[in-house]
Amino acid sequence: LPPDEIPQAAPVEAPAASAEVQCPRCEATNKPTDKQCWQCSASLVPEAPSCPRCVTALVETERDDVALRACNACGGVWLDQASVMQMFQHHMNTCGALDSSSERREEDLQRRTQPAACPICKVNMQEHDFIAQLEAMYNVPTGIHADRCTTCYGMWFDVGELSAVQQAVAEYRASKQEDSGDSGFLFGSGE
């Protein structure tokens, strides 16, 4: 074929570089080459999520069909907002299976004196009394103080806390069945 009849590939254009980068902490606009925010000095380079208790890198895994990030050093578990919702909808009877261990450790409770930073957002989370929601209409106090990020709504559970939540749910269900004299009608027998 003559050179002018040989099919030519269309030139491939490089993707346009982002004109700006928004700070995850203060939302200020920064240049794409900036490593730190000009306004609040926050890092603009994504960091691997780390444990809010011992600062060890978290490992992505799945337990009982729920995606989570676990700390291999202290046994804590991070659930993002979608995983928390999945746990409330389908796993309140078995949420202990999400835990690294059912044993709570004194050193983990002592670490609670410092605010826990969200593994994703790096902002301090708020500690609150964790209330288990059953069938979207029953709230069960668990006695667990979980850490919740007010930015991404993920939750941190120290080792043994999800097992303690499961135990509180089981005790609540047993007390309601005794109160009603029923063998499962209140909550359904299919769970």
Side-chain angles (χ1 to χ4, degrees), residues 17-21 30-34:
S18 175
E20 55 190 42
V21 174
N30 294 271
K31 294 182 238 168
T33 56
D34 290 345

Side-chain angles (χ1 to χ4, degrees), residues 11-71:
V12 177
E13 292 183 31
S18 175
E20 55 190 42
V21 174
Q22 191 171 22
C23 175
R25 184 185 298 163
C26 72
E27 299 182 359
T29 302
N30 294 271
K31 294 182 238 168
T33 56
D34 290 345
K35 304 276 187 231
Q36 285 187 315
C37 176
W38 66 269
Q39 184 168 320
C40 71
S41 299
S43 174
L44 299 176
V45 179
E47 297 175 23
S50 59
C51 175
R53 298 288 183 231
C54 62
V55 197
T56 303
L58 296 178
V59 177
E60 287 187 51
T61 188
E62 189 175 289
R63 296 181 187 152
D64 205 17
D65 296 326
V66 176
L68 56 89
R69 292 181 178 178
C71 178

Side-chain angles (χ1 to χ4, degrees), residues 25 47-50 117-125 149:
R25 184 185 298 163
E47 297 175 23
S50 59
C118 173
I120 307 302
C121 304
K122 308 297 184 203
V123 298
N124 285 341
M125 295 184 283
C149 179

Side-chain angles (χ1 to χ4, degrees), residues 64 90-99 162 166:
D64 205 17
H90 305 291
H91 297 278
M92 289 312 301
N93 292 334
T94 60
C95 65
L98 305 178
D99 222 335
L162 287 165
Q166 181 177 329

